[in-house]
Amino acid sequence: MASVIVVGRRSRREHPLSEAVTVVGRDAGAGLELGDLQVSRRHALLVRARQGFFVKDLGSRNGVLLNQERVPSREQALLKNGDVLSVGRTTLIFKELADVPSEDGPPTPTILAAQVVRPAAEELVLDPEPVAAEPTPTRPQPAPAAPPAPAPRPQRSRPSSRPPRAPSAPSVDALALQTLIERTERDRQFFRNLSLVMFCLLIATLVLLFAYALLQRNEPQGSKVEAKPAPTESEVATSAPDAGAFEQRVHPILASRCATCHSVSGKGGGLLLASSNDPGTVADNLAAASAFLTPGAPEASPLLLKPLSPDEGGLEHGGGAVLHMASAEWRILRGWVVGLSSGEAKLANPEARILAPSTAGCRQRVALRASESQSGAGGSLDYRWTLIEAPAESKSRLEDPRAETAVLVPDVEGRYAVMLTVKEGEGKDSATHVLDVRAPRAQKTDTRPAAPARPAAPPVAARGLERTTQVLLGRAPSAADRAASQRGAAALRKHLLGEDALYTRWWRLELDHLGLTGEHQPTGEPWSSLPAKLRSGRFSVIDVYYALLVGQDWLERYPDSEQSVSTLLDKLLGPEAGRDAGLKRSALRLAEGHSATILGVRAEGSVGLVRAVVRSKEAAAQLLRRSYYRLRGEELPAGRLTELCERFVRDPATYFEQVVSWALPRS
């Protein structure tokens, strides 16, 4: 009788093939039900035919392997005794036993050793019922006449006279089956041992982690030594003020900047100052200023924060913004306040100053002196002179560029610009000076009587010079400013137009006006070199406005389209334009990417809106009115405004010449 031995991962069993067709699968109604998830519900068939047993794949997902060879889907293969079937993760071993008649008793079941030949293309015929074995033919025997009835035999068995047959040797298929079973058992033991080892390693790791956590928890708190950061400059405790540094550097600033408002009791709060330089007044000013210092936090001292604007972190001050963080005077004041702990005044950075003429002739030796530069901590300064601008055909070079005094010999007519950089430790400062060189004119013999000499231009008064440099440059007059003022208003105008401080201050004021301060202030190029570009004429104020209003800083400051348009119209055209509904509607349409007509110009998109506004006469008029009111404190006459607007639209480079003329004292 045929059967299959089911070898699973943990057990094995034998299933007889008593039916003509046995379904192998995971389904509950299958003839041979397997609890293997890799086996389909109806995986294969075991069919009994006249030729023997066949296996047929029912189109299963994982297929059927017969002796490690795949049975084609929807096809069948003949089985022989000892064949190994693989379905999913389960192994089936086919076993077929036949009845062999014995000489003295019932047939003895033996293992068939003969292989069954598989038919080539013969049609299989199912045999639903077992076929009875045909009798073996014998020679004919004469039939007895009438045999008498045999006497009944006793039912006990008597021993056979023949010796017992020796047991037959196991067949090859039986040995293969035994080997497969032993190999399966070894694999099972191997994976069991591997799982046990992995589990032990996991437990050991968890124990080590738990022990490490306990050690860290029980470690003494005093075993860790935390390094404290070194105190910063602002955390150093203050001590007694340095009277010498105050008298030399700080008192002149307070006397010129603050004494005007703080000299009257009750007008300037609790700070009373005087502008006199006698020792008694200096001592009184030192005592008054020391009362406005914050011990332990010098950076938060009211003496430092009161003169600054709120945009720079300044405190409320009735006199407004007197100083700026970038100004040399505030740096001197801060150096004295922060340097109190060491007993000597320390500036944040040294200050670079150049003493040199503004004009010269070709082939003339021009001495450039840095004697006006100031040290930050009383140490020595390192000087470096650089020729940053010269005519294209010039071959002039600086002599002694590392000395305190350098020499320049201009060889052609034109404009020369020199930069001085002073360094003291890690601090440094730079200053520039412009030299205008004119070729000497050939002298002609003139026989006419000499004309009476024109009187020299009157020098600019000291008070007028103080106000001019304050409103234009934001600082007190320097030695170079005073030297230029001695030659008259025209020389002073030319000198101021060559100072980068004029363009730097205008740039900062316009940033405040547009609201681009703090984190929204433009940094890097081209903004770092903007003052030099304005001075040289490579940039105009219209170019500056255009670059600002289409840049990323403006978009981040005013991300909303309506807010951006309202601010643009209000700042460039005035509050009245910002309230004009029709103008605002056209500007919003442009900001959204459409086309519209604004201020008489057809434009498209947000870039077209900015271009039309900054180049309009309305924007020029608003800029001139603001500048005139800031410098003069009064409104610009309407007739004069029209003339200046037309001039500005034709040539925007004339703006700073006009601004300097307004700032100079009236004759």
Side-chain angles (χ1 to χ4, degrees):
M1 183 178 180
S3 63
V4 289
I5 299 175
V6 182
V7 181
R9 297 184 61 184
R10 297 185 178 181
S11 63
R12 56 179 178 268
R13 58 188 171 90
E14 185 174 356
H15 181 81
L17 300 177
S18 58
E19 301 292 337
V21 178
T22 302
V23 179
V24 180
R26 191 164 41 88
D27 194 82
L32 177 54
E33 182 181 353
L34 301 177
D36 188 349
L37 296 179
Q38 300 294 327
V39 176
S40 302
R41 292 183 179 276
R42 293 175 59 83
H43 198 101
L45 291 180
L46 295 176
V47 183
R48 184 177 61 200
R50 291 180 180 178
Q51 297 88 343
F53 272 87
F54 289 82
V55 60
K56 181 177 182 180
D57 184 8
L58 295 179
S60 60
R61 181 179 57 193
N62 295 322
V64 177
L65 298 180
L66 173 58
N67 296 329
Q68 304 302 320
E69 295 183 4
R70 190 178 185 89
V71 178
S73 180
R74 305 291 180 182
E75 295 186 13
Q76 56 194 7
L78 182 63
L79 298 176
K80 68 178 185 299
N81 185 40
D83 281 349
V84 178
L85 296 173
S86 297
V87 287
R89 297 179 178 176
T90 305
T91 301
L92 305 177
I93 302 175
F94 178 72
K95 184 176 71 172
E96 186 176 14
L97 300 177
D99 292 337
V100 178
S102 61
E103 297 180 1
D104 57 349
T108 303
T110 61
I111 297 178
L112 293 180
Q115 296 184 359
V116 181
V117 181
R118 303 185 184 185
E122 184 180 0
E123 184 69 23
L124 299 178
V125 180
L126 299 179
D127 188 7
E129 296 181 359
V131 180
E134 296 181 359
T136 305
T138 58
R139 288 183 296 180
Q141 299 288 338
R153 283 183 164 184
Q155 296 299 324
R156 62 184 181 85
S157 62
R158 57 182 182 177
S160 175
S161 60
R162 296 182 180 181
R165 299 178 59 183
S168 60
S171 65
V172 176
D173 294 333
L175 293 176
L177 176 61
Q178 182 67 22
T179 302
L180 179 63
I181 293 174
E182 292 176 356
R183 183 173 58 190
T184 304
E185 180 65 19
R186 287 197 303 269
D187 292 343
R188 184 183 67 82
Q189 293 179 0
F190 170 76
F191 286 108
R192 182 193 63 182
N193 296 337
L194 180 63
S195 301
L196 183 61
V197 170
M198 297 297 294
F199 178 75
C200 293
L201 289 177
L202 178 61
I203 294 298
T205 304
L206 294 177
V207 170
L208 290 176
L209 291 177
F210 182 71
Y212 177 77
L214 289 179
L215 290 176
Q216 292 294 322
R217 182 177 181 181
N218 297 330
E219 185 178 358
Q221 298 295 328
S223 60
K224 293 185 179 180
V225 179
E226 298 182 358
K228 296 183 179 180
T232 60
E233 186 182 29
S234 61
E235 295 174 347
V236 179
T238 59
S239 59
D242 184 1
F246 178 84
E247 181 179 2
Q248 295 177 6
R249 298 174 181 177
V250 180
H251 180 263
I253 299 174
L254 299 180
S256 60
R257 293 287 189 152
C258 308
T260 304
C261 297
H262 289 273
S263 59
V264 180
S265 178
K267 181 180 179 181
L271 179 62
L272 293 178
L273 300 172
S275 57
S276 176
N277 293 326
D278 61 274
T281 303
V282 173
D284 293 341
N285 288 347
L286 174 60
S290 300
F292 284 81
L293 302 178
T294 303
E299 294 282 4
S301 300
L303 187 66
L304 277 180
L305 301 182
K306 284 280 188 178
L308 297 177
S309 64
D311 295 335
E312 294 181 316
L315 300 176
E316 183 179 356
H317 186 218
V322 180
L323 299 175
H324 295 279
M325 283 187 175
S327 64
E329 294 174 331
W330 189 85
R331 294 203 306 253
I332 294 174
L333 185 61
R334 178 186 176 277
W336 178 74
V337 172
V338 174
L340 293 180
S341 60
S342 61
E344 58 183 46
K346 294 182 180 178
L347 297 180
N349 285 309
E351 183 179 2
R353 293 182 182 179
I354 301 176
L355 182 61
S358 300
T359 59
C362 287
R363 308 295 178 180
Q364 178 183 349
R365 294 178 63 85
V366 179
L368 306 169
R369 297 182 177 87
S371 57
E372 293 290 325
S373 300
Q374 294 185 1
S375 170
S380 59
L381 295 176
D382 294 331
Y383 304 95
R384 182 181 180 87
W385 297 88
T386 307
L387 184 61
I388 60 175
E389 184 179 349
E393 61 275 13
S394 175
K395 297 182 180 180
S396 297
R397 295 292 182 268
L398 286 170
E399 300 178 8
D400 299 330
R402 296 284 187 174
E404 182 178 356
T405 301
V407 177
L408 174 66
V409 182
D411 53 356
V412 295
E413 180 183 12
R415 176 191 176 94
Y416 295 79
V418 180
M419 181 175 68
L420 168 65
T421 302
V422 294
K423 295 183 64 177
E424 182 182 19
E426 297 182 357
K428 67 178 181 178
D429 190 26
S430 300
T432 58
H433 181 75
V434 177
L435 181 65
D436 191 11
V437 177
R438 294 288 180 263
R441 297 181 179 180
Q443 296 183 358
K444 298 181 180 180
T445 304
D446 192 358
T447 57
R448 294 178 299 175
R454 297 179 58 182
V460 179
R463 187 173 184 83
L465 175 63
E466 178 80 20
R467 181 186 179 280
T468 299
T469 57
Q470 181 61 42
V471 297
L472 280 181
L473 310 180
R475 59 170 174 80
S478 63
D481 300 334
R482 294 189 180 94
S485 66
Q486 293 299 320
R487 298 193 297 271
L492 180 60
R493 179 189 297 109
K494 188 174 183 180
H495 167 73
L496 293 175
L497 287 172
E499 288 286 325
D500 281 349
L502 169 65
Y503 309 95
T504 301
R505 179 169 173 77
W506 176 84
W507 165 244
R508 289 172 178 164
L509 291 175
E510 291 307 307
L511 287 180
D512 293 341
H513 176 68
L514 296 175
L516 298 178
T517 57
E519 60 179 350
H520 300 292
Q521 181 175 346
T523 56
E525 289 295 340
W527 314 115
S528 301
S529 59
L530 183 61
K533 293 176 181 177
L534 286 171
R535 175 179 50 76
S536 62
R538 287 181 289 172
F539 262 39
S540 67
V541 294
I542 292 181
D543 298 328
V544 174
Y545 280 124
Y546 178 79
L548 272 177
L549 298 176
V550 299
Q552 187 66 26
D553 299 292
W554 176 269
L555 297 178
E556 292 178 355
R557 177 65 177 86
Y558 305 104
D560 182 66
S561 299
E562 185 173 357
Q563 182 186 16
S564 176
V565 167
S566 300
T567 307
L568 172 69
L569 298 179
D570 178 69
K571 298 297 184 181
L572 267 69
L573 303 181
E576 297 81 6
R579 293 190 290 266
D580 190 339
L583 181 64
K584 188 174 182 180
R585 186 163 48 252
S586 300
L588 281 174
R589 181 171 178 80
L590 289 171
E592 294 172 356
H594 304 289
S595 300
T597 301
I598 185 169
L599 300 176
V601 178
R602 188 68 179 176
E604 182 176 358
S606 58
V607 176
L609 167 65
V610 173
R611 185 183 297 110
V613 171
V614 299
R615 295 181 178 179
S616 64
K617 291 184 178 180
E618 292 80 359
Q622 178 65 14
L623 174 62
L624 293 172
R625 279 198 298 263
R626 286 194 299 107
S627 302
Y628 188 85
Y629 187 83
R630 178 172 63 86
L631 298 172
R632 293 284 189 177
E634 57 188 21
E635 295 292 337
L636 183 63
R640 181 64 174 159
L641 177 62
T642 304
E643 177 186 352
L644 293 177
C645 281
E646 294 178 354
R647 180 185 176 189
F648 177 82
V649 172
R650 288 195 310 268
D651 186 9
T654 60
Y655 169 76
F656 287 102
E657 296 179 1
Q658 188 62 56
V659 165
V660 173
S661 299
W662 287 339
L664 289 175
R666 299 179 182 179
S667 56

